[in-house]
Every structure is written in structure tokens, then in C-alpha cells.
Amino acid sequence: MNLEAYFPVLLFILVGIGVGVTPMALGKLLGPNHPDAEKLSPYECGFEAFEDSRMKFDVRYYLVAILFILFDLETAFLFPWGVALKDIGWVGYISMLIFLLEFVIGFVYIWKKGALDWE
């Protein structure tokens, strides 16, 4: 087996691991670590992290996060479409209009269901 042919792949893997691990190790070694009560308190989740696992909690936090991710990803498709609009022609234009129509229908649906209402 010719190991010299795999050298670029091995080098790529080692550099990738180095780029991923080195900043984390440097941050752990050189960064300050002075946790206090404020740093260890819950942040925007609405409940303490180490309590009874059967306690009731508000699902709206997770619903808003999921809806944000959903609509953020859908709007991320608009930029490449706008950049390539001259190249894709009418077929691409019509298909994006259909996509946007589905996007608006979904937005109106969750709005009417009250998923965006915060009490």
C-alpha cells in the first residue's frame, strides 16, 4: 500500500484537528476562570438548571427558538437566489415565488395559531 498517496489527507486531518483543538486549549489555559453566582445562574431559559426534573416549565422558549431557526433558514435561501437571479431565469424566479408563497402561508398559519403571542 502506498502511504505517500495518503499524506495530503493525513495532513488535512491533522491541521483540521489542530485548528479545532488549539484555540480551545489556549482559551482553557490562558483565559480567566472566576465563576460567581451571577455567571452560574440560568440565562434566558426561565428555570433553574439543577432542580426536580419533573417540574413544569414553559415550552414557549423552545417554540420561539424552533420558529426562529425555521424562518431564519428559510430566509437564508433568499440571498443566493437574489445573487443568481440573472442566471436562473424565469424557472428559478417562479420556483422562488412558490417558495415564498409557502413561506408566507406558514407564517400566517403560526401567527393565527398564536405561536407568536407572548403573554
Side-chain angles (χ1 to χ4, degrees):
M1 191 178 253
N2 188 3
L3 294 178
E4 292 176 4
Y6 290 105
F7 179 73
V9 175
L10 181 62
L11 183 65
F12 183 76
I13 290 172
L14 290 176
V15 169
I17 290 172
V19 167
V21 171
T22 303
M24 290 190 295
L26 285 175
K28 186 72 171 169
L29 292 174
L30 301 176
N33 186 14
H34 305 292
D36 57 1
E38 190 67 29
K39 277 188 175 181
L40 297 176
S41 66
Y43 177 72
E44 290 186 2
C45 64
F47 56 91
E48 291 291 330
F50 299 104
E51 288 186 3
D52 184 21
S53 62
R54 293 178 187 92
M55 64 180 259
K56 291 184 179 183
F57 62 92
D58 201 355
V59 181
R60 290 181 291 186
Y61 295 106
Y62 304 107
L63 179 64
V64 168
I66 289 171
L67 291 175
F68 171 75
I69 291 171
L70 178 85
F71 284 102
D72 186 49
L73 289 176
E74 287 184 357
T75 55
F77 287 121
L78 293 176
F79 180 73
W81 172 74
V83 170
L85 187 56
K86 289 182 183 177
D87 299 329
I88 58 177
W90 282 104
V91 174
Y93 184 76
I94 298 298
S95 64
M96 186 49 96
L97 285 180
I98 293 170
F99 176 77
L100 287 175
L101 179 67
E102 292 174 357
F103 180 76
V104 170
I105 289 171
F107 182 71
V108 170
Y109 175 77
I110 64 166
W111 191 341
K112 293 291 183 186
K113 283 292 200 179
L116 300 175
D117 293 338
W118 200 266
E119 297 162 1

